[in-house]
């Protein structure tokens, strides 16, 4: 059966018109609004497990999962109970609490590279703090970021985090430096060295030139903001060795990958020992949180004193969030959790590949276990930012996802994001996805 566009979204449409009177573009982040969804966003009102319901009562299997935050799906009964009980006792004291200690102890148990952790409220705050720590620790100002990597919306990270037409990118040796936002003083970017990712030769060249002046290299272990691009074999390990050779700190930004691939994140999965790691999303299972972890020798620079690295925040270690973090990490420590996440994700990847093959549609389904992306492209793989900018048909992807939305699958039509498998997803959900993809392909083809 071909999908229809008859899904009733009258209430979503009405609410969006109203929202636009009081909120910029009717939303609180451009990734949720008209720039992505046509004719406008679907207003979600309720979630349970892997499912969400919109304002008009339409049900969807959710594969966006709050941009990856909902590792346990929606309204996990244990987390609901924990947070309800905690809220009744008082939400937050901005004082020392047992809740933050319980969260920290569990965090450190799961992450062998970490001697100590500092909680923030978002991934952006975590990457901000990590850079400040790295600069203070090394006494150097500059840092290296990779093209197409996103580390939150802190000023110096907002260089080439978006995709652009390939003719605007410059060469890999001399990448064009394209700010992602107005309002950032150009001088901010003078301390940013930009390099292509997944390219060992380019990395060596850049480090030869700038290595001794860099405080840090920051990288996502899996490039998760141009879809889902895996590191080439040995690339991250080489990055670790080379940064060490130049006395540069390696900041592994695990905001997306942390607690998703293994109890100890991608660093465990790939056997890496970063100097600093940043977390967010899945750590809080839907509650706002971030974290920076690493050795005492670096993080203890935040200890009070004349030469300290300052990190304040009324809501740091928010009590309700810390209760959820501790309970979430307990759930993730149970036997078989990661095996199931990987197996469910692999089933979805294989199922989708088969659908595109059957319909003779050129598409790459790329990723690993619980996180993947679909690229409509003539290429065999998308290996970096430049491939993404040059060869991926993002409009076709958006059309495909809009078809899926009408078939009861919720996902953002933005190709730069990625499909997420949570512990709540089942074989039946994967079957629904594959069936919907099959029907969407019949229309696309
Ligand atoms: C790799 C990465 N780092 C940092 C961030 C920022 O996290 P937050 O949105 O919680 O500020 C994101 C957000 O998507 C991210 O993908």
């Amino acid at each position: 059966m071909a999908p229809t566009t008859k899904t009733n979204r009258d209430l979503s449409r009405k609410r969006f018109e109203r929202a636009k009177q009081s909120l910029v573009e009717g939303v609180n982040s451009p990734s949720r609004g008209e720039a992505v969804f046509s004719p406008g966003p679907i207003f979600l009102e309720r979630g349970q497990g892997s499912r969400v319901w919109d304002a008009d009562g339409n049900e969807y299997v959710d594969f966006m999962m709050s941009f990856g935050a909902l590792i346990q799906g929606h309204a996990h009964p244990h987390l609901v109970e924990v947070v309800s009980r905690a809220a009744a006792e008082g939400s937050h004291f901005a004082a020392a609490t047992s809740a933050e200690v319980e969260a920290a102890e569990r965090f450190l148990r799961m992450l062998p590279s970490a001697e100590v952790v500092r909680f923030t409220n978002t991934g952006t705050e975590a990457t901000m703090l990590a850079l400040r720590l790295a600069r203070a620790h090394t006494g150097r100002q500059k840092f290296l970021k990779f093209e197409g990597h996103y580390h939150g919306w802190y000023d110096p990270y907002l260089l080439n985090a978006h995709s652009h037409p390939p003719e605007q990118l410059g060469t890999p040796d001399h990448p064009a430096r394209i700010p992602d936002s107005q309002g950032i003083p150009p001088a901010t970017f003078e301390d940013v060295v930009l390099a292509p990712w997944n390219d060992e030769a380019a990395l060596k060249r850049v480090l030869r030139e700038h290595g001794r002046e860099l405080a840090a290299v920051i990288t996502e272990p899996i490039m998760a903001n141009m879809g889902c691009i895996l590191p080439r074999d040995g690339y991250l390990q080489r990055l670790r060795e080379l940064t060490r050779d130049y006395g540069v700190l390696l900041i592994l930004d695990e905001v997306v990958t942390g607690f998703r691939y293994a109890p100890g994140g991608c660093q465990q999965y790939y056997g890496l020992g970063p100097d600093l790691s940043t977390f967010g999303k899945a750590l809080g299972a839907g509650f706002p949180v971030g974290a920076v972890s690493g050795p005492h020798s670096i993080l203890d620079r935040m200890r009070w004193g004349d030469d300290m690295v300052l990190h304040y925040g009324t809501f740091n270690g928010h009590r309700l969030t810390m209760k959820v973090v501790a309970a979430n990490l307990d759930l993730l420590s149970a036997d078989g959790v990661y095996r199931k996440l990987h197996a469910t994700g692999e089933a979805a990847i294989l199922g989708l590949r088969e659908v595109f093959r059957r319909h003779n549609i050129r598409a790459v389904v790329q990723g690993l276990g619980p996180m993947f992306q679909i690229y409509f492209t003539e290429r065999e793989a998308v290996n970096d930012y430049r491939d993404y900018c040059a060869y991926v048909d993002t409009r076709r992807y958006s059309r495909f996802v809009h078809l899926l939305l009408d078939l009861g699958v919720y996902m953002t039509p933005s190709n730069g994001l990625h499909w997420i498998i949570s512990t709540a997803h089942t074989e039946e959900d994967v079957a629904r996805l594959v069936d919907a993809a099959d029907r969407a392909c019949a229309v696309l083809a």
Side-chain angles (χ1 to χ4, degrees), residues 67 121-125 127 150-153 220 222 224-225 253-257 278 280-281 289 417-418:
F67 296 131
N121 298 290
T122 63
T124 299
E125 290 180 26
T127 57
Y150 176 68
H151 302 291
W153 58 279
E220 301 180 53
I222 293 175
N225 288 285
D253 182 359
E254 295 234 47
V255 168
V256 173
T257 55
T278 54
K281 301 206 190 238
V289 74
L417 288 146
H418 36 257

Side-chain angles (χ1 to χ4, degrees), residues 266-278:
C266 258
Q267 49 198 277
Q268 180 184 358
Y269 192 83
Y270 288 115
L272 295 169
D275 298 294
L276 290 169
S277 308
T278 54

Side-chain angles (χ1 to χ4, degrees), residues 303-363:
R303 293 172 81 112
W304 187 261
D306 289 343
D307 58 353
M308 71 177 167
V309 170
L310 186 72
H311 173 232
Y312 278 149
T314 301
F315 293 112
N316 294 350
H318 190 279
R319 184 169 169 275
L320 293 188
T321 304
M322 293 294 107
K323 289 274 187 187
V324 172
V325 166
N328 178 36
L329 296 184
D330 282 345
L331 290 170
L332 291 175
S333 300
D335 271 357
V337 169
Y338 288 94
R339 206 166 39 248
K340 178 171 177 272
L341 280 172
H342 280 259
T344 310
E346 290 304 324
I349 291 171
L350 294 177
L352 288 168
R353 281 184 188 154
E354 173 55 22
V355 167
F356 292 118
R357 193 198 58 73
R358 215 171 34 246
H359 287 271
N360 210 13
I361 291 177
R362 291 298 302 264

